[in-house]
Amino acid sequence: MNRHRSKDNLGRRIATSHLSCRPSPRMARSRDASANLDQIHQIRKLMQLLQHRDPTGACVVELHYFARFTIQEIAGLTDLTPRQVRHLCERSLNWLKSRSGARPNPADDSDCNG
């Protein structure tokens, strides 16, 4: 094993080692594979920061966006009302977007409605 791997390579390996699925060979051959891995790594780091800042908001985002639970389902699993879940989702999503450099998109306002 090469001991002189770059930090960039190490970060990509760490980011992908925690995923439940591996990139497909087709994706790995893609020119955008490096950009995709960078985005995954950035999202992971932002989620860790959100977890430290607002654990409940991070939980709501994980359940809604990564586990694909609805607002109603999350409310049923937690001691929160659907309105509270929606608020946490929107607030956390706005925080993540502001840290990622993503431009706000008015069409995204419905992200936390279902």
Side-chain angles (χ1 to χ4, degrees), residues 50-101:
L50 180 59
Q51 176 68 36
H52 290 294
R53 180 183 180 273
D54 183 1
T56 307
C59 179
V60 167
V61 168
E62 286 177 4
L63 288 172
H64 191 59
Y65 288 97
F66 299 111
R68 307 302 291 166
F69 281 70
T70 66
I71 296 299
Q72 294 293 335
E73 290 169 329
I74 296 168
L77 292 171
T78 62
D79 290 332
L80 301 170
T81 66
R83 185 176 179 180
Q84 289 170 317
V85 171
R86 194 173 298 108
H87 174 75
L88 279 169
C89 181
E90 290 170 355
R91 187 179 71 195
S92 298
L93 185 61
N94 286 336
W95 184 88
L96 288 166
K97 286 179 180 179
S98 72
R99 299 308 183 275
S100 71

Side-chain angles (χ1 to χ4, degrees), residues 4 10 16-17 19-20 22 27 30 35 37 46 49-50 53-54 57 60 66 77 93 96 98 105-106 111-113:
H4 302 289
L10 181 61
T16 57
S17 70
L19 296 174
S20 61
R22 300 281 181 218
M27 183 181 140
S30 167
L37 291 176
L46 287 171
L49 289 172
L50 180 59
R53 180 183 180 273
D54 183 1
V60 167
F66 299 111
L77 292 171
L93 185 61
L96 288 166
S98 72
N105 182 354
D111 284 349
C112 297
N113 289 330

